[in-house]
Structures are given as C-alpha cells and as structure tokens.
Amino acid sequence: MPCRTSVAGALLCLLALGVPALAQEAGQTPPPFTLSYAEGRVEVARHAAVEPASPPDLIEEGDRLMTSDGRAELLGDDGLMVHLDAGADLHVTPDMRLRLVRGRILVHTPPTVLDVAIALPVGDLRLEPHGRYDIRADDLDGDTVVAVIDGRATLSGADDAWPLGAGDVVHIDPRDRRPRWSRVPAADDMRLWSSRRADRATLTRAASTLPPGVEPWGDELARAGRWDTLAPFGQVWFPAVAPGWRPFTDGQWRFTRRGWTWIDRTRWGWPVHHYGRWGWHGVRGWYWRPQRTWGPGWVRWAIGADHVGWAPLGWDARPVEPFPLGGLANAAPR
C-alpha cells in the first residue's frame, strides 16, 4: 500500500509523524467530531479557508460548520448526534466543546454520555444522557430557545441557572435575561427529519454491542458487509468488497492536529478505519473487529528508497501484511 513520493518527501512525512504520535500516546488530544452527513449547501471553515463540506470528514477544534441552505449531521466519539438545520453556525472550541452562534440544532444524547455542554449566546447549556433537545440561537440580536423533548437540561447564565425537564421550553433574550416559559410544540419538518436520521442510525446492531462512536454507523455496516463469529475474537465484520480490496486504500492521508489521519472515500469505511483493528482470514478475506478507542489511522509505516508504505495493524500491534522494508514508525497509539 505505498504512497509514492520523493525520498525527501517521504522523510518529511515520517519526521512529521513523530510529534502527533507522541501526543496521542500521552492522551493529550481528544477524538474529533465526525461530519457524517450533509445535504444542500454546507460549508466548513478551517485554517482561514472556507470549503464545501464533503462527508465523511473530521471536524476539529477551531473549525466552523455552516449550513447556508442545507442540513448536516455531526457525530461525537461518545455517540452524541447533532443535526444542524439551514442557517446554523456551529463552532468547535479549543477544548472540543460546541458553541452555537446562530441557527437551530437538534441534539440526541446517548444513554452513556458523561457530559454534554453547549455554549449559547446567553450562557452554557448542560444536557443529560438519553435526551432529545431542540436548540435555537440568534447571536445577540434575538431569543435563545431551548426545548427539551426528552431528558433533562440546565441552562446557566451569568447569575442564574434554569433547570428544564421533558416538555419544557425556555426563551431568553440576551438583552433582557428574563426567562419566558412554554411547552414543546408539535414536531415540524426539521424535527421529523432529525428523528428519522437518529432512528435509522440505531435500527441495526451487531450481535455484540458496538462502541458508542460506531453505533450511529450500524445501518451502514449492515448494508456494506456481514457480522459473524470468528474465534477467538467473537463478533467481527466482513466487508462485501471486490477481490483484491485492502483497508486504507480507498482514500487519502491528511495531516491534522492528531497526526496523519486517514480520510476514507466511502461512508461505511469511516468507522472501520478509525476504531478497531483489521485481520486476514485465509478463506473469507479481510475482517474488522470494533474497538472503543478512536485513532487517526491504525497502521504501521515503512520508508523505502522512493516511497512510503503502510499496512493495517492487527490485534498484536503488528502489521497484518509483512513489510519488505525496515524503518517502521507508528501512526497511532497501541
């Protein structure tokens, strides 16, 4: 699986791998968000440039996700699901929190989530597990509205905190700060769309429980392959691919804050290249076993005279395919 480049370019690539790999091993960098879906005009602002959204993709600290006249879906490593309606402007802060500047989002918190905090123009919103929340903001020019469809939440301002239960809606004008209360209205088109996306993502499960970050991809994996039991690992996933297919070939490497990160071109390829490890079965071919820990690319690197190569890491932290060359370097923590 070589990445053909010049010798100088190859050396620069491997030298650049060192610092991000050390940061990952020290546990200093939390997993990024995943832009899993987009329709209509959706843009990502990163590194002082604005580009059209192209899911699946990483959304990291400092990035902005903007839905001019489209909708988008953002996934967290803990199973958090955020749906952006048209006209939303959502930032990822330096500490990997979400900040809604304007627009509307629907948030689904999984049962296992520990803490979800969203910054709003009027303060911080804390969301509890296993909930659905409809949130709107109008920067500093109009009401911030928080509706709790299911679950519980707390909105904290400069001097006050307002607890919300299922069915509660609070309206706060940032220029006034006095809460006005109402009840959750009937579902509109955006809420119905969000519910369909959330239901579709959780309808199909493997026989064993998937990691939270992989669960929203359950339906994609069910359609793109098959789960089966393989000793001694238990439940593994076999992709339905053409002969000759190999992991980490249908996409590209991008240098991010987390090191060299694999960007797969296929939707189903996203979770299986960032969670878990690959193995090879002599009769059935490649298989994947889920793992809880996110990684930018679970591979082993090698450098040759005129190319850089890589191979998937197996469960013994060794390359699944042998390297003909030496000079291996880790691209992800073991």
Side-chain angles (χ1 to χ4, degrees), residues 73-87:
E73 179 179 86
L74 199 64
L75 301 178
D77 178 65
D78 53 9
L80 178 72
M81 182 178 291
V82 181
H83 291 140
L84 289 75
D85 199 3

Side-chain angles (χ1 to χ4, degrees), residues 94-119:
D95 57 353
M96 287 301 294
R97 294 177 58 196
L98 297 175
R99 180 165 68 91
L100 181 61
V101 176
R102 67 179 62 86
R104 181 187 183 188
I105 60 175
L106 274 293
V107 181
H108 301 255
T109 56
T112 56
V113 71
L114 296 178
D115 180 38
V116 177
I118 298 177

Side-chain angles (χ1 to χ4, degrees), residues 266-306:
T266 61
R267 285 188 52 78
W268 63 262
W270 189 264
V272 298
H273 286 89
H274 293 294
Y275 294 91
R277 305 291 179 93
W278 287 92
W280 173 261
H281 188 276
V283 176
R284 302 181 63 181
W286 288 98
Y287 64 87
W288 171 75
R289 185 185 179 197
Q291 181 188 31
R292 174 65 181 84
T293 305
W294 185 92
W298 297 96
V299 300
R300 191 89 157 174
W301 294 84
I303 181 171
D306 62 353

